[in-house]
Amino acid sequence: MSQLDKIDKDHLPLHIAIIMDGNGRWAQEKGEDRLFGHYQGVESVRHIVEGCAELGIKYLTLYAFSTENWDRPEPEVTGLMELLADTIRQEVGTLNKNNIKLQLIGNIEMLPGYARAGIEEAIELTKNNSGLTLIIALSYSSRWELVEAVKTIAADVKEGILSPDQISQDTLRHYLATSAFPDPELMIRTSGEYRISNFLLYQLAYAELYFTDTRWPDFRKEHLYEAILNFQQRQRRFGKTGEQIQRESATDTH
Ligand code: IPE
Ligand code: IPE
Ligand code: MG
């Protein structure tokens, strides 16, 4: 029996976010160049995007490149940028065939021109799709996003569009790069690292965190199912007591 059959399709996480980590080590362990790991990582992306679309997951965010990753050696950065830009361009047909809408969060101004153009085109060409929303976090970091939000809020206050006493949690949410998406309910990080690495710090406030030793290039649908099953076994309390949650779910089903 596949793990897929054990998944409760009525309680899927609405939004899954993944820190796709371990490409470099995966390649180096095989005596290969780190870039080889990134190429294999793209194969995992294909499997996992397809797996999420098949399941009916509504939002999938993939952390592909952080603002800190710009500080890696130049050949790795250039190789990665070319790989990401080429992949996005090549996958537009498949995205459309599977009704997947592509979105991007991150500092797009830092991207080389060719990458930017291809990505903007792919976003435009998939904008009417209504199935899975695939959000690529590219040149993204949460601290960058929060600083941008604060700058725009300050400018709007100065312009008189916003008054400081109107600022609520919803206002802040509206200024984030993720304003169009619900918060992730499940966050997966591969390759045995137990940290957030500047990813969606605000949005992950109540996400269930799942860590696996599997390196990203080895991550396949069965690993995804395993993570979802693990998520489904957890009691999400949002600050309340376990008894309150049990009572609420009993009344929900009646
Ligand atoms: C994740 O794999 C991909 C990116 C950060 C771009 P890494 O390249 O971080 O691989 P490790 O963690 O060094 O093995
Ligand atoms: C996080 O991985 C960024 C991405 C997966 C794109 P890193 O490999 O950059 O994170 P650290 O440096 O190990 O924290
Ligand atoms: Mg890493």
Side-chain angles (χ1 to χ4, degrees):
M1 188 177 176
S2 157
Q3 298 295 67
L4 176 60
D5 303 314
K6 298 185 199 154
I7 292 176
D8 178 353
K9 308 294 185 306
D10 294 326
H11 290 101
L12 292 169
L14 178 64
H15 183 172
I16 299 177
I18 307 181
I19 302 179
M20 310 184 289
D21 198 18
N23 295 352
R25 279 165 287 162
W26 181 89
Q28 284 164 332
E29 281 154 12
K30 293 182 158 43
E32 301 279 354
D33 188 76
R34 292 176 57 86
L35 265 177
F36 178 64
H38 297 313
Y39 277 84
Q40 291 305 309
V42 169
E43 199 48 37
S44 300
V45 170
R46 289 200 185 93
H47 285 275
I48 297 317
V49 170
E50 190 182 272
C52 285
E54 285 166 356
L55 269 171
I57 302 290
K58 296 306 284 175
Y59 299 89
L60 172 66
T61 298
L62 299 177
Y63 202 6
F65 193 89
S66 72
T67 51
E68 287 76 19
N69 290 149
W70 288 113
D71 295 331
R72 290 193 179 187
E74 194 275 329
E76 182 169 346
V77 171
T78 307
L80 251 171
M81 276 304 130
E82 283 171 2
L83 173 65
L84 289 165
D86 289 351
T87 305
I88 290 173
R89 215 181 315 235
Q90 281 161 16
E91 294 295 316
V92 171
T94 312
L95 293 174
N96 279 332
K97 202 177 85 202
N98 295 316
N99 198 20
I100 299 169
K101 181 181 186 163
L102 183 74
Q103 295 275 281
L104 187 126
I105 53 171
N107 188 354
I108 195 160
E109 280 163 28
M110 287 184 79
L111 299 178
Y114 64 87
R116 216 164 133 168
I119 290 162
E120 280 168 351
E121 196 186 337
I123 291 171
E124 179 63 25
L125 291 170
T126 62
K127 70 172 184 201
N128 293 323
N129 294 336
S130 57
L132 173 71
T133 299
L134 171 61
I135 305 142
I136 307 289
L138 184 55
S139 187
Y140 171 87
S141 80
S142 207
R143 289 183 176 176
W144 163 81
E145 177 187 36
L146 290 168
V147 168
E148 288 305 301
V150 170
K151 278 191 204 163
T152 320
I153 289 172
D156 283 356
V157 167
K158 198 171 159 204
E159 293 287 315
I161 299 167
L162 188 68
S163 99
D165 45 274
Q166 277 177 335
I167 298 174
S168 64
Q169 291 193 15
D170 276 345
T171 319
L172 179 52
R173 180 177 293 279
H174 172 79
Y175 283 87
L176 297 176
T178 54
S179 62
F181 322 121
D183 287 345
E185 293 190 306
L186 168 63
M187 198 287 285
I188 301 170
R189 184 173 187 146
T190 59
S191 94
E193 304 298 349
Y194 298 83
R195 55 179 172 260
I196 303 291
S197 302
N198 220 345
F199 186 46
L200 302 174
L201 298 179
Y202 185 83
Q203 298 86 338
L204 291 175
Y206 269 104
E208 295 299 325
L209 308 182
Y210 179 86
F211 298 95
T212 170
D213 287 341
T214 306
R215 305 260 193 250
W216 179 249
D218 288 328
F219 199 83
R220 288 293 177 269
K221 289 182 192 175
E222 284 298 317
H223 299 101
L224 171 73
Y225 302 152
E226 195 65 52
I228 294 175
L229 278 170
N230 187 292
F231 167 84
Q232 291 186 331
Q233 282 151 22
R234 303 194 191 179
Q235 186 187 48
R236 306 185 71 206
R237 289 193 282 276
F238 301 97
K240 295 185 183 175
T241 67
E243 289 71 23
Q244 281 176 297
I245 300 300
Q246 269 166 3
R247 229 175 294 133
E248 281 170 13
S249 62
T251 45
D252 275 357
T253 50
H254 287 131

